Each structure stands twice: as C-alpha cells, then as structure tokens.
Amino acid sequence: MKQELKGIFFDIDDTLYSTTIFAEKARRSAIQAMIELGLKGAPEALYQELIEVTQEFEPNYGFHFNKLLDRLPKEASSHCNPAILVAGAVISYHDRKFRELALFPDAPPFLEKLSQTNLIRGIITSGLAIKQSEKILRLGLLKYLSGQEAIIISDQVGINKPNPKLFQKALDRFGLAPSETAYVGDNPKKDILPCQQLGIRTIWMDRGGKHSILEPSIKPDYRVESFLEVEEILKKWGVNLP
Amino acid sequence: MKQELKGIFFDIDDTLYSTTIFAEKARRSAIQAMIELGLKGAPEALYQELIEVTQEFEPNYGFHFNKLLDRLPKEASSHCNPAILVAGAVISYHDRKFRELALFPDAPPFLEKLSQTNLIRGIITSGLAIKQSEKILRLGLLKYLSGQEAIIISDQVGINKPNPKLFQKALDRFGLAPSETAYVGDNPKKDILPCQQLGIRTIWMDRGGKHSILEPSIKPDYRVESFLEVEEILKKWGVNLP
C-alpha cells in the first residue's frame, strides 16, 4: 500500500499531556502553601478566587498570586509579607507541576513507534516560546521529533492560532502538501478549523477536556480519545507502523 | 551580665549561603545543556562569554541566555531552535541551582541556637522581592526569623542598599536603638558602611568572596570568617546563647 501521509504535527497542551489536571493540582498546592505561610481563608474559596484571577488575566500574565492577594480582604494577609506568600505559592506551584508533568500514558509508546517511520514529526503550538520549549524538553518530546526545525511556536514565528499561516509555515518548511500532512489537536476552533481550511488532514483529540464542543461548521476527519486510535488511522493512510 | 544586644539582622547572598559557588555551577550546567542540544563552541569559551553577558547586563535581567546566542557567530546555533536552547539552559540552570542551594554549613547550627534566644532575628536584603523571598523559603530560613515582619527586601520598601534608610526601617519596625542592633553582611560598601553611619554594630562576614576588600573609611566592629566567630562576639555582647 502506497503511503499517502508524509508529515504529522501535534499540538502540546491537552493533546500530548493534560494541562487541565496538572494546573489544578499545582494551583491547589500553591493555595495550600500560602495558607501554611499564614494566609487566612478556606482552601476551596481561595482556589475559586484564584481560578477567577486566571480567567480575568492572561494565562501568561506573571502575577496571578499577587492579584489574588490584591482582591482578598486586607485581614486575610495583613500579618504576612506578601512577597513571602507569593514566593511560597510560586515554589509550590512549580515544584508540583514539574514533578507531575508527564505525557498522557498512551503517548510515549505511540510516539516511539512513530519515530521509527519515515514520517516528518513536529509540533505546532501556541504560547510563549520559553514556556512551550520548556514543556517540550521536560516532557521528553524532543527525541521523537524530526529535529528542532520541526518545532513551530506561535510566539517565535509571529503568527498565532487560529491563523492558517501558522500551519502553512510547517508545510513550507518541509515542502509538504496539505493532503500529505496531518495535525492532531484538542481545540476545534484553533486546531481543526484552520487545518480544515488549508486541506490538512485533521484528527481531533477529544478527551472530554474544556474544548470538547464541536460547532457544525468544523468537521475533523476523525475524532479520537487516545493515540491507539491515531495508530489505526495512520495505518489506513498507509503508514507502515512497527 | 546585662544583654546589650536586642536585635540582629543578616544579609542573605554570600553571607548565609554562597551565591558565587552556586551561580558558577549552575551556569556551567546551562552551557552543558545548550551544547547537548546542539550549540557549537568550547565549553570554557562559552562560559566566559556568558560571564561577560552577566557583567554587561543587570543580574536580574531575564534574557542572559538569549543575549549569549545573539553575540555568538551565527554558525554556532543556526541549525538549532533558539527557544529550545534557551529553555534547555534555563531548566538546567534552575534545576542545578535549586538542587545545590544550601546555607553555609556553619549557619544552621548557629541560627538554631540564635532562635532559642530572645533576640529579634531578621533579614535585610537587596534584590527582587520574589527572588529574595524564594531564597528565604528554599534555604529554610523562615523558621529561624522573628516572623515575616522581620524580612526587609529593598524592592518591597522602595529603598536600596547602601541607603541607611533601609537599615533604619528595621530599627523603626521593632523599636530598636542602633546601639542595641547588629548587622552581618559581606559587602563593606553596601552592608557595613551604612550601618556604621547609623551606629548599628557591624560584623563583616569575609569568606574571601568578591567583596573581600576593605577601604580605609569603612570600619566594621568585627571581621569574621564563620558563624562560630559570630557566636563568640554575641557572647561578649551579653547574649545568652544555649
């Protein structure tokens, strides 16, 4: 069977690992650390307030914990040094996040098989260059990819999802036609729609996360819940997986 | 014997822990990580270039590794993704620094004894609030101090060393006279001189680091090389150490 597919690209967040689960654990750890350092309040109420902060400010805004303190009643932290509370929260958040940061269990065996094929394997992701690069390295993704050139980060190329130009960049870089390229992502509007517009094959990774809603105008070629299913699709597309 | 001393404050960097040694190890780890990710160059030459960067830009400037890449010949990194190189350097730098971050071996037993006295025990330090607070927490200093109020960070109070007002702030906060207060720091110009001007007792912690030069106008009450010597001085000042 002739191989129709020549390249495959992946989103990172909530496609290769669960940012949702890790972020919640890390935020709850941060709240706990602040309480241990003297912050007054019920853990659940403080956590909900922090969630509001993250929704009202940009996810990459660097002062979520400071803003949390700003909006709590003065009595909650007036006996503390705010810098100590924030540092305690940041330490606890990061330590927890890095300790628990891991690919979805079905991802490594799939990526290992994929790296034994002749497919071009890359990442197309939105976010700050330093943060996305750190995830790629800490998640151990680099060894599965076709080199550092196959990493396309919106912040680095000046084009952001859902602009199809971001995905076109990957095709141009490797001389790929859209029809011989696939993209796997969790966000219908930001991942699936622009690829659909270009004619790139789309696999919607829907593990029931926050983007688990499909509008009628968005039509992924496949909807999957794990990389085991992606393997089956790749076989149909003529990829010779070991 | 009547206790003459009521409060003692400490500098952090190169007084309670060696920032010099840890920074060198962390920077060499960062260079090694960049080389493993593809950066071309001799480790020692790259390390010296990085040292130049840190001397030419502010220590808290967040893009030292980016600047290192900017000033190397293009061929050194043209085959790499700069964000991946920088992320690799940052991860390696921080992991190494946090793993090795520790008080000077003579500090914990001394601070433990000190915390059993009735002295007010605090920190007066220069630097970014989040960075200095993180050091206080990661070094495990908080448990030895008279609460979070005894932490005075230049960035938080808007006054920086060597302005004597920074040290006056500590006196005011606890109602201490200069003559009943001591400060321990490694930097003659930034730590000893302003305290001398106010009449605070000064102990110069001189472990042969980068500030091991005393100008004739600066006259610390004592010069020491370890906290064992500080213990002896405190006993002379009537402090009842266990």
Side-chain angles (χ1 to χ4, degrees), chain A residues 119-134:
Chain A
L119 281 182
I120 287 162
R121 304 165 305 276
I123 293 287
I124 301 174
T125 180
S126 247
L128 295 182
I130 183 74
K131 283 202 174 185
Q132 297 311 93
S133 298
E134 181 163 6

Side-chain angles (χ1 to χ4, degrees), chain A residues 130-144:
Chain A
I130 183 74
K131 283 202 174 185
Q132 297 311 93
S133 298
E134 181 163 6
K135 283 175 202 165
I136 289 167
L137 294 173
R138 288 205 185 262
L139 288 167
L141 280 172
L142 201 56
K143 63 178 175 291
Y144 301 123

Side-chain angles (χ1 to χ4, degrees), chain A residues 9-13 60 122-137 142 145 148-161 165-167 169-170 173 183, chain B residues 81-85 87:
Chain A
F9 293 84
F10 300 89
D11 175 40
I12 302 177
D13 300 283
N60 289 319
I123 293 287
I124 301 174
T125 180
S126 247
L128 295 182
I130 183 74
K131 283 202 174 185
Q132 297 311 93
S133 298
E134 181 163 6
K135 283 175 202 165
I136 289 167
L137 294 173
L142 201 56
L145 307 178
Q148 293 179 32
E149 208 194 359
I151 297 164
I152 293 171
I153 306 173
S154 60
D155 184 31
Q156 272 197 310
V157 296
I159 309 166
N160 207 354
K161 291 181 183 178
K165 283 183 190 168
L166 182 70
F167 300 88
K169 196 99 189 165
R173 205 173 271 188
Y183 188 68
Chain B
N81 182 320
I84 292 287
L85 292 185

Side-chain angles (χ1 to χ4, degrees), chain A residues 46-61:
Chain A
L46 292 170
Y47 173 72
Q48 291 304 332
E49 196 72 30
L50 178 61
I51 293 299
E52 276 189 34
V53 173
T54 62
Q55 284 162 352
E56 290 169 29
F57 294 82
E58 286 292 307
N60 289 319
Y61 176 76

